[in-house]
Amino acid sequence: MEHRSRPAPGAGTDTVTGRAPEAGRTPGNAVRDRAGDPDARWLTALMHAAFFLLLGASLTRFLLRHPGEARTPWIIALSVAIAVLYVIGPVLGSRPTPRSLVWLGVLVAVWMVLVVLAPSFAWCAVPLFFTGLRILPPRAALALVALLTLFVVAAQLRLADGFDPNLVLAPPAVAAVATAVFVHMQRQAVRQRELSERQRELIDDLLRTRRELAATERREGTLAERQRLSMEIHDTLAQGLSSQQMLLQAADRTWDADPATARRHVRTATGIAERNLAEARRFVHDLAPADLAEGGGLEAALHALAARETAQGQGRLTVRCHVEGERHTALPDRVQSALLRIAQGALANVKEHANATEAALTLTHLDDRVVLDIADNGQGFVPTGRTGTAGSVRGHGLPAIRARLHQLGGTLTIESVPGEGTVLSAAVPLTATSPPTAPEDLV
């Protein structure tokens, strides 16, 4: 159960919401006096105009009906006094401060004296109803309305020649209607304020959710970029460093026995280092593959890769490149980059694990997709699904290839039999706009 602080004695509670009024404010004016409430301003202006109109009409009627009487100066003086008092009211505000309560008491007292001297001034009671409802707490305001209504009834009966039931029932009915209209507007103002508060809360929640979503997207983008960079480094710099290490180790072993072969290994390692340096500089520049940056597109980059791997193999591995089909439109840069990295990573696995003497890169252009096949005549393996080779402890190559294809909505097919080589096929659809939710690689 929600607990609320008890209002101060005499402060009362809001008859509409059942809540304690704000400090220094009454339920009747807590909403209507807000600067942004157009209904409150409209109602206040209307009541001010009605009061002065009724006051002027009552004074005119008295002067026409009772000219030259002894009480006429008093009626005029009291009319001026009540007009001045009413003008002072807005300056004091509508909060139930001691000054405003004294002002309201003096205003009502002057009006009562006027009604006693001239009953026609009773019609000024309607604007006074709203004045009391705006300033006083609910119970005090209702008591004031009842008191003013009694004075109006008494004044009307004095003006009548005899007893008239209409004069007894009409003023309470008018008071009831005026109070009902006021309470209805109060309820509408409360609902409007609550609706505005809910809207502000919803807007705040939406802004907070958008900020959280943006932060989440930034984190996901950062992680995706880190993964992409790790794959780029694995397929280029890491593989090149691994090749350099093997060549330098081989040169160290043959340095005394076969200096010429050792120097050839060192020159090959130097060439790989130059290539890695170009890749590193390309990473710094725009992270595009160096072969693609040289121009000629994916086909030229694959031919250059095949020639370079053949030269680095020094007769132990020969790599050929074939292109089948005609390209109708230029491949997107991200597709070209991904397929070149896949070829680099696959050939690195061939050199390190397959013990192959021949390998072939085949790029096939189809109507709706492009397919890159990497085949070798190595020792093969028993495919184990998505984890790479059986018993492999270095599982970065194939997962990186799968990740690249997943980003492009492509598929990976691996066909391998022990002793009969391996064929890796990477297919990328040219119409895919987003990767599949759960791609299934065919093994």
Side-chain angles (χ1 to χ4, degrees):
M1 179 180 296
E2 184 179 1
H3 297 280
R4 301 183 182 273
S5 60
R6 185 179 302 276
T13 58
D14 196 327
T15 58
V16 176
T17 63
R19 292 179 292 193
E22 300 176 13
R25 300 180 66 98
T26 63
N29 60 49
V31 177
R32 289 177 300 281
D33 291 340
R34 297 175 69 90
D37 188 354
D39 292 337
R41 295 195 298 269
W42 172 83
L43 179 61
T44 301
L46 179 62
M47 288 300 104
H48 291 339
F51 178 82
F52 287 107
L53 180 62
L54 292 172
L55 181 64
S58 300
L59 180 60
T60 302
R61 181 181 183 277
F62 176 83
L63 294 177
L64 292 176
R65 295 288 183 89
H66 308 281
E69 293 187 4
R71 55 179 175 167
T72 300
W74 290 101
I75 297 298
I76 296 174
L78 290 174
S79 298
V80 174
I82 197 172
V84 172
L85 286 172
Y86 198 88
V87 170
I88 295 175
V91 179
L92 299 177
S94 58
R95 297 184 180 184
T97 60
R99 289 192 302 174
S100 63
L101 293 177
V102 171
W103 168 82
L104 180 61
V106 173
L107 179 66
V108 172
V110 173
W111 174 81
M112 288 181 177
V113 174
L114 267 174
V115 172
V116 171
L117 295 177
S120 58
F121 284 89
W123 290 108
C124 297
V126 176
L128 295 180
F129 289 165
F130 286 91
T131 303
L133 289 170
R134 289 176 59 242
I135 295 179
L136 298 176
R139 293 182 180 179
L142 294 177
L144 178 62
V145 169
L147 177 62
L148 296 179
T149 304
L150 290 176
F151 263 78
V152 172
V153 171
Q156 294 300 313
L157 291 177
R158 285 180 57 192
L159 291 175
D161 296 333
F163 178 77
D164 187 350
N166 188 48
L167 298 179
V168 176
L169 299 178
V174 173
V177 170
T179 304
V181 170
F182 183 86
V183 172
H184 173 72
M185 295 191 64
Q186 178 181 2
R187 290 176 182 271
Q188 291 297 107
V190 170
R191 293 192 186 98
Q192 183 69 25
R193 181 182 64 175
E194 292 177 348
L195 179 60
S196 300
E197 291 176 352
R198 293 194 192 100
Q199 290 177 343
R200 285 194 296 270
E201 292 175 357
L202 290 176
I203 293 174
D204 292 341
D205 291 341
L206 178 60
L207 293 176
R208 182 170 57 255
T209 301
R210 290 181 61 182
R211 288 193 295 268
E212 294 174 354
L213 179 60
T216 301
E217 290 178 348
R218 285 195 296 270
R219 288 194 297 268
E220 291 178 352
T222 301
L223 293 176
E225 184 66 13
R226 289 178 179 175
Q227 182 183 16
R228 189 179 72 86
L229 288 176
S230 67
M231 293 187 297
E232 296 280 348
I233 294 173
H234 173 269
D235 293 341
T236 56
L237 300 181
Q239 298 295 347
L241 292 173
S242 177
S243 299
Q244 291 178 57
Q245 182 184 25
M246 291 188 297
L247 289 170
L248 292 176
Q249 290 175 347
D252 183 64
R253 289 193 299 270
T254 61
W255 191 267
D256 295 330
D258 190 354
T261 300
R263 282 192 292 271
R264 187 167 61 251
H265 289 330
V266 172
R267 287 194 295 271
T268 303
T270 302
I272 296 175
E274 292 176 354
R275 198 71 205 169
N276 280 1
L277 179 60
E279 289 285 357
R281 288 172 176 170
R282 181 59 56 185
F283 286 157
V284 174
H285 184 260
D286 58 4
L287 297 179
D291 289 330
L292 291 177
E294 294 173 357
L298 179 61
E299 294 84 352
L302 291 176
H303 280 97
L305 174 63
R308 187 167 61 251
E309 293 295 339
T310 299
Q312 293 175 0
Q314 299 180 358
R316 295 187 302 274
L317 176 63
T318 300
V319 181
R320 297 187 301 275
C321 180
H322 307 281
V323 178
E324 298 180 359
E326 294 184 0
R327 182 178 56 186
H328 301 290
T329 59
L331 294 177
D333 293 341
R334 60 195 303 259
V335 173
Q336 296 188 56
S337 177
L339 290 178
L340 179 58
R341 295 307 191 198
I342 288 172
Q344 292 173 333
L347 289 179
N349 285 341
V350 169
K351 290 191 298 182
E352 188 169 354
H353 302 294
N355 294 324
T357 59
E358 293 184 358
L361 301 176
T362 303
L363 181 66
T364 305
H365 293 283
L366 301 176
D367 293 336
D368 59 344
R369 65 186 184 277
V370 60
V371 181
L372 176 64
D373 296 321
I374 302 96
D376 67 76
N377 64 348
Q379 62 187 8
F381 62 93
V382 178
T384 58
R386 302 174 69 85
T387 59
T389 60
S392 174
V393 295
R394 301 183 64 183
H396 296 290
L398 290 179
I401 292 174
R402 286 193 176 94
R404 292 183 187 278
L405 290 172
H406 173 60
Q407 293 173 355
L408 298 174
T411 57
L412 174 66
T413 302
I414 302 174
E415 298 177 359
S416 183
V417 177
E420 298 185 10
T422 301
V423 177
L424 184 151
S425 179
V428 178
L430 299 180
T431 57
T433 58
S434 61
T437 302
E440 294 294 337
D441 297 338
L442 303 178
V443 178

